[in-house]
Amino acid sequence: EKVENNVNALNSSQTNRSDSPNGGYKANVSKGGLTTSAVMDELLKDKETMEIFREFLKYEQILTDFAWNMHMLQYEATLDFYPPPRLDS
């Protein structure tokens, strides 16, 4: 419940998530000029929330690393068929 309250407070006070005509969301907009550093400083004060936050981000990082590695393998595979242009000519 404590984490949910913290998340709800951040969502209501820090973001603008109005629906756009194409069904997506507008970019999050800080109201009142809060910086990422200020938000992180506040989050770091709550050990329980940060533990959950770090656990969530751990899996996000695993997915990002996997996607990056797959992208690089795909890119390297294309080099055999489409080598980059030579810069010395």
Side-chain angles (χ1 to χ4, degrees):
E1 184 177 332
K2 182 178 181 181
V3 171
E4 185 177 329
N5 290 340
N6 289 344
V7 170
N8 289 337
L10 281 173
N11 283 339
S12 64
S13 66
Q14 303 304 320
T15 60
N16 176 4
R17 298 184 53 175
S18 303
D19 286 331
S20 66
N22 66 2
Y25 289 101
K26 293 180 182 178
N28 290 340
V29 177
S30 176
K31 294 180 181 177
L34 282 177
T35 64
T36 302
S37 297
V39 173
M40 285 305 301
D41 288 344
E42 206 52 41
L43 285 171
L44 286 168
K45 292 177 183 177
D46 187 340
K47 303 273 187 221
E48 183 182 342
T49 299
M50 282 309 297
E51 185 178 326
I52 293 168
F53 189 60
R54 284 191 178 111
E55 184 69 14
F56 176 81
L57 288 179
K58 175 174 72 174
Y59 296 105
E60 187 72 22
Q61 188 64 55
I62 290 169
L63 290 171
T64 301
D65 291 345
F66 178 81
W68 176 253
N69 287 331
M70 181 177 287
H71 166 74
M72 292 308 294
L73 289 170
Q74 290 171 334
Y75 170 73
E76 289 168 3
T78 66
L79 293 178
D80 292 336
F81 301 102
Y82 305 103
R86 293 181 58 165
L87 300 176
D88 59 350
S89 52

